[in-house]
Amino acid sequence: QVQLVESGGGLVQPGGSLRLSCAASRSIFRINIMGWYRQAPGKERELVATIRSSGSTDYEDSVKGRFTISRDNAKDTVSLQMNNLKPEDTAVYYCYAYTGLNYWGKGTQVTVSS
């Protein structure tokens, strides 16, 4: 079974930056969509950003202009560059992939605090 493994989470001060990365444990074919979701304490999991095989992207309104999602040449990894981080960005971030089947990572903690 394919596993998605996230990395890059951590503690950062407001206004700082982090880069999250996600890689599949083995190659999977035809990854139509890859993206990131997040879940803050007491809140439902929400979409942060997705990128399709066509290259089209979608972003949650509050991260537009601050976050950028990208895929590498192999298209089995995805990254999320997060700039100008705010305390409200604090959450567990989950990698997601869709191939006709849904795949989820275990999550990585992002904490934005002074």
Side-chain angles (χ1 to χ4, degrees):
Q1 184 176 357
V2 174
Q3 294 181 339
L4 301 178
V5 181
E6 304 100 334
S7 63
L11 174 65
V12 66
Q13 295 183 6
S17 298
L18 286 173
R19 186 176 181 87
L20 304 182
S21 295
C22 172
S25 60
R26 60 177 175 86
S27 296
I28 54 178
F29 298 105
R30 299 180 181 180
I31 302 175
N32 304 110
I33 304 170
M34 297 194 77
W36 294 90
Y37 286 71
R38 68 185 180 188
Q39 187 168 24
K43 295 185 177 181
E44 296 183 355
R45 188 174 299 188
E46 66 176 358
L47 172 71
V48 179
T50 60
I51 183 166
R52 294 178 174 269
S53 58
S54 65
S56 65
T57 58
D58 290 299
Y59 293 93
E60 194 273 329
D61 286 342
S62 70
V63 310
K64 289 180 179 177
R66 300 189 296 121
F67 291 10
T68 302
I69 189 169
S70 62
R71 299 170 69 163
D72 75 358
N73 292 334
K75 295 184 174 62
D76 59 1
T77 63
V78 63
S79 296
L80 184 70
Q81 179 66 45
M82 305 185 294
N83 297 326
N84 192 25
L85 283 160
K86 302 176 180 180
E88 52 263 43
D89 295 318
T90 295
V92 177
Y93 284 69
Y94 297 90
C95 181
Y96 170 79
Y98 176 73
T99 67
L101 298 174
N102 296 304
Y103 297 91
W104 291 93
K106 293 183 178 180
T108 185
Q109 178 71 48
V110 172
T111 302
V112 185
S113 176
S114 298

